[in-house]
Amino acid sequence: MSERNDVVTMAHGSGGRAMQQMIERMFLSAFDNPWLNEREDGARLSLAALSQQGDRLAFTTDSYVVDPIFFPGGNIGKLAVCGTANDLSVSGATPAYLSCGFILEEGLPMEDLQKIVSLMAQTAREAGIAIVTGDTKVVQRGAADKIFINTAGIGVIPGDVAWGAGQIQCGDKVIVSGTLGDHGATILNLREQLGMDLGIQSDCAVLAPMVAPLRAVSGVHALRDATRGGVNAILHEFSEASGFGISIDENALPVKPAVRGICELLGLEPLNFANEGKLVAVVSAQAEERVLNLLRKHPLGADAATIGEVTENPQVCLRGALGVSRQLMLPHTEPLPRIC
Amino acid sequence: MSERNDVVTMAHGSGGRAMQQMIERMFLSAFDNPWLNEREDGARLSLAALSQQGDRLAFTTDSYVVDPIFFPGGNIGKLAVCGTANDLSVSGATPAYLSCGFILEEGLPMEDLQKIVSLMAQTAREAGIAIVTGDTKVVQRGAADKIFINTAGIGVIPGDVAWGAGQIQCGDKVIVSGTLGDHGATILNLREQLGMDLGIQSDCAVLAPMVAPLRAVSGVHALRDATRGGVNAILHEFSEASGFGISIDENALPVKPAVRGICELLGLEPLNFANEGKLVAVVSAQAEERVLNLLRKHPLGADAATIGEVTENPQVCLRGALGVSRQLMLPHTEPLPRIC
């Protein structure tokens, strides 16, 4: 086995000295926090400290396999922190702790891994989230594609927050926090080598600071972040769980001209495009203005808009530019694999 | 994209209908529990219920990339449940909840996935652990090797348990819970096609029921499960964290004749071989007999034995059959990649 220091080798995943050195030099120094520095095989977290912040834990996980691993607006590491933290936020929780499992392909340049780890650490630090435990596996060249990352997250939900699709009521308003499809269009443009100078980048971001003020608003019923499957997938999840339908106004959808252009060129629908920093909120008509104002106060929510409402008719429908409404189906599959 | 139902296709990872159907038909029905069945993007766990069991959460993660994915004694799914649950147990925690992230290679037979998921569900059920949240990604053929699984686990540590390498004292006894290297030898025999009829199988098992009674014993200082890197890796971790050394008696090591045979044939050391159902305990001399008795009461601990003791001399040493002691080094790398 190679003793090279500039790429990941099988030795880095073996449980021997090479792995210990990589953990110390790269992960411990980047993610630096008291829980991780205990060097036990797992973190120990005070239940009293967690219980001060709320009455329920939120616990969620995602694996990240995005291709390419570097893209305008971020990389796979930033995505792995934001994605799982955002799942916690939209459940009403304050994100607190992340675990992190790396699967590395032999031959991955150490420089690439360092960039990914550094941006993970920076993103977590900015969001007040501690990466407290982790694991590294290395597989032979060709047995994985460069790097896969799994994160699992723990957050705490305050006692007075009860968001969930089961809370949705007929007449509720459907709000998105900003422009749709930026992440999907960015990856598509890179990967299909369309070579368009779109001037767009992934919207990958930690949503917690924008979401937290919404917890004080009565009439907020359900939030989800619209990642893989886009806003359309969320609308269908909400519809199925609540038994109601949702009617969306096509004219109201905030979409950047460049993203609209790529969609029209390829015959794709921005509602199906992945986002990595956008949420869908279902709120009472009374809460609509307050929620829009709170979202727009945050830079990530500047383009927040009401896009539709919850209906008795249990279908998800799209009202087009000419006022004609058609049923919006959930595609069998997304246009773009490995989007996140 | 293929519409085949007998293999995993890209559509199963797309966030569309195909993925929803696989989640419902395979994962929800196998892992069936109230948290998962809420169908939110993450589980919500009562902090009051957790706090009744102890004062700290243990939180840990591992990714599993074992090759081959099926082996005598288990499969990658059983390994993914046992491995993470055992990391919780040896920290002193009662394992409670697991997350589960699948990365699937396009073309994986559904029948294989079903076998893996079924054994995960059975193993978790037997151990009283709920798989409460999950994620599925599919990558193109050749971008991963069949299936990788990440699990993250949450457990609760009772208030009076304070196990950790920092508690280790000079004169403590080092105990292993059974025969060494069964998992490593099983995988090696399969993978290198040695074709030996060893009559051994992986020791992959949930250790929680054997570990729980040890929490009532004063003088138990530190536990670890000896997986990747074997007992040798644990001895070095204990030595480094405590500042003491450890002297092991080669004659005292419980090793099955078949495993010893494969080691001698290949010039390998059973102390470096991976286990998936064995722990190393460091306990006071006063606690030694009680711990051995408690371990031996459980079928998984029938071959428990004291193998050495903690020394002032800060090296890890092996006393051989003739009484001569030599320093035991931590290898730069393990002999066998993708052991877990």
Side-chain angles (χ1 to χ4, degrees):
Chain A
M1 278 174 211
S2 163
E3 291 281 337
R4 288 177 62 185
N5 289 321
D6 57 341
V7 298
V8 171
T9 66
M10 294 307 292
H12 291 113
S14 73
R17 276 184 293 123
M19 192 176 86
Q20 294 304 328
Q21 285 171 4
M22 186 172 72
I23 289 173
E24 276 165 31
R25 290 177 194 167
M26 190 168 303
F27 302 133
L28 292 180
S29 67
F31 299 149
D32 183 44
N33 64 63
W35 301 278
L36 195 64
N37 292 341
E38 276 189 17
R39 301 294 304 274
E40 291 292 337
D41 197 355
R44 292 155 197 213
L45 313 170
S46 159
L47 270 165
L50 289 164
S51 298
Q52 278 174 1
Q53 300 173 62
D55 65 349
R56 284 152 296 157
L57 285 186
F59 181 37
T60 189
T61 192
D62 268 310
S63 299
Y64 298 85
V65 299
V66 66
D67 172 35
I69 57 176
F70 295 98
F71 47 82
N75 64 36
I76 189 172
K78 184 178 180 187
L79 205 60
V81 172
C82 294
T84 297
N86 290 346
D87 281 342
L88 294 172
S89 293
V90 297
S91 76
T94 307
Y97 302 109
L98 285 187
S99 69
C100 174
F102 293 101
I103 298 174
L104 308 176
E105 184 189 13
E106 179 187 20
L108 178 74
M110 276 292 176
E111 198 184 334
D112 286 356
L113 182 58
Q114 184 66 65
K115 277 184 203 157
I116 289 164
V117 167
S118 297
L119 191 54
M120 290 183 82
Q122 185 193 323
T123 307
R125 222 170 8 247
E126 287 169 5
I129 299 162
I131 298 173
V132 295
T133 188
D135 174 58
T136 306
K137 295 290 188 301
V138 180
V139 298
Q140 313 92 308
R141 208 178 286 266
D145 190 8
K146 299 180 194 75
I147 176 170
F148 301 145
I149 304 177
N150 176 284
T151 49
I154 294 177
V156 187
I157 307 175
D160 53 357
V161 174
W163 296 345
Q167 307 289 321
I168 292 172
Q169 292 168 24
C170 187
D172 279 355
K173 300 296 179 178
V174 180
I175 291 171
V176 294
S177 63
T179 55
L180 304 186
D182 298 9
H183 178 75
T186 302
I187 299 292
L188 187 64
N189 186 40
L190 266 183
R191 210 163 59 209
E192 304 304 314
Q193 300 179 321
L194 300 178
M196 287 194 261
D197 183 13
L198 295 174
I200 53 165
Q201 61 176 31
S202 168
D203 54 350
C204 180
V206 173
L207 294 175
M210 183 174 71
V211 173
L214 302 183
R215 298 191 295 197
V217 181
S218 80
V220 175
H221 292 151
L223 263 69
R224 290 269 169 97
D225 59 330
T227 57
R228 180 172 47 160
V231 168
N232 190 10
I234 304 300
L235 299 176
H236 278 84
E237 286 173 32
F238 280 161
S239 169
E240 194 170 326
S242 69
F244 294 115
I246 294 174
S247 175
I248 297 296
D249 181 357
E250 194 163 17
N251 293 325
L253 298 177
V255 182
K256 288 191 173 130
V259 176
R260 197 176 290 285
I262 206 171
C263 283
E264 285 175 359
L265 185 71
L266 299 173
L268 301 171
E269 171 63 74
L271 276 167
N272 293 334
F273 262 41
N275 313 274
E276 290 295 342
K278 297 293 155 45
L279 59 82
V280 183
V282 180
V283 309
S284 69
Q286 291 75 18
E288 179 186 2
E289 279 309 306
R290 182 140 182 240
V291 168
L292 283 171
N293 287 337
L294 284 171
L295 290 173
R296 288 173 184 156
K297 264 191 194 167
H298 194 280
L300 293 175
D303 297 315
T306 301
I307 63 167
E309 59 193 10
V310 177
T311 60
E312 201 71 59
N313 166 15
Q315 296 179 333
V316 178
C317 293
L318 187 68
R319 256 193 329 275
L322 303 172
V324 180
S325 191
R326 64 177 173 89
Q327 192 179 351
L328 193 63
M329 306 302 287
L330 183 62
H332 182 71
T333 180
E334 219 212 357
L336 203 60
R338 295 182 62 191
I339 193 77
C340 61
Chain B
M1 275 174 213
S2 164
E3 291 282 336
R4 290 177 61 183
N5 289 323
D6 58 340
V7 296
V8 171
T9 66
M10 294 307 293
H12 290 114
S14 74
R17 276 185 293 122
M19 191 175 86
Q20 294 303 328
Q21 284 169 6
M22 185 171 74
I23 289 173
E24 275 164 31
R25 289 179 195 167
M26 191 169 299
F27 302 133
L28 291 181
S29 68
F31 299 149
D32 184 43
N33 64 63
W35 302 278
L36 195 64
N37 293 340
E38 278 190 16
R39 302 292 306 272
E40 292 290 337
D41 196 354
R44 291 155 198 214
L45 313 170
S46 160
L47 270 165
L50 289 165
S51 299
Q52 278 173 2
Q53 299 173 63
D55 64 349
R56 285 151 296 157
L57 286 186
F59 181 36
T60 189
T61 192
D62 267 310
S63 299
Y64 299 86
V65 299
V66 66
D67 172 36
I69 57 176
F70 296 99
F71 47 81
N75 63 37
I76 189 171
K78 183 177 180 187
L79 205 60
V81 172
C82 294
T84 298
N86 290 345
D87 280 342
L88 294 173
S89 294
V90 296
S91 76
T94 307
Y97 303 110
L98 285 187
S99 69
C100 174
F102 293 101
I103 297 174
L104 308 176
E105 183 187 14
E106 178 188 19
L108 178 73
M110 276 292 176
E111 198 185 334
D112 285 356
L113 182 58
Q114 184 66 65
K115 276 184 204 156
I116 290 164
V117 167
S118 297
L119 191 53
M120 289 183 83
Q122 184 192 325
T123 307
R125 224 172 5 249
E126 286 170 5
I129 299 163
I131 298 173
V132 294
T133 188
D135 174 59
T136 307
K137 296 289 189 301
V138 180
V139 299
Q140 312 92 307
R141 208 178 283 268
D145 190 7
K146 299 181 196 74
I147 176 170
F148 301 146
I149 303 177
N150 176 285
T151 48
I154 294 177
V156 187
I157 307 175
D160 54 356
V161 174
W163 295 345
Q167 307 289 323
I168 293 173
Q169 292 168 23
C170 187
D172 279 354
K173 300 294 177 180
V174 179
I175 291 171
V176 294
S177 63
T179 55
L180 304 186
D182 297 8
H183 178 75
T186 303
I187 299 292
L188 186 64
N189 187 38
L190 267 182
R191 207 162 62 211
E192 305 301 315
Q193 300 177 320
L194 300 178
M196 287 195 259
D197 182 13
L198 295 175
I200 52 166
Q201 60 176 31
S202 168
D203 55 349
C204 182
V206 172
L207 294 174
M210 183 176 70
V211 173
L214 302 183
R215 298 190 297 198
V217 181
S218 81
V220 175
H221 292 153
L223 262 69
R224 293 269 168 96
D225 59 329
T227 58
R228 179 172 47 160
V231 168
N232 191 9
I234 304 301
L235 299 176
H236 278 85
E237 286 172 35
F238 281 160
S239 169
E240 194 170 326
S242 69
F244 294 114
I246 295 174
S247 175
I248 297 297
D249 181 357
E250 194 164 19
N251 292 326
L253 299 177
V255 182
K256 288 192 172 127
V259 176
R260 195 175 292 283
I262 207 171
C263 284
E264 285 175 359
L265 185 71
L266 299 172
L268 300 171
E269 171 64 72
L271 277 168
N272 293 333
F273 263 38
N275 312 275
E276 291 294 341
K278 298 291 158 45
L279 59 81
V280 183
V282 180
V283 309
S284 70
Q286 292 75 18
E288 178 187 1
E289 277 310 305
R290 183 143 180 237
V291 168
L292 282 172
N293 287 336
L294 284 171
L295 290 173
R296 287 173 185 156
K297 265 192 194 168
H298 194 280
L300 294 175
D303 296 316
T306 301
I307 62 167
E309 58 191 10
V310 177
T311 60
E312 200 72 59
N313 167 14
Q315 296 179 333
V316 178
C317 293
L318 187 68
R319 254 192 332 273
L322 302 173
V324 180
S325 192
R326 64 178 172 91
Q327 192 178 353
L328 193 62
M329 305 303 287
L330 183 61
H332 182 71
T333 181
E334 219 211 356
L336 204 60
R338 295 181 62 189
I339 192 77
C340 62

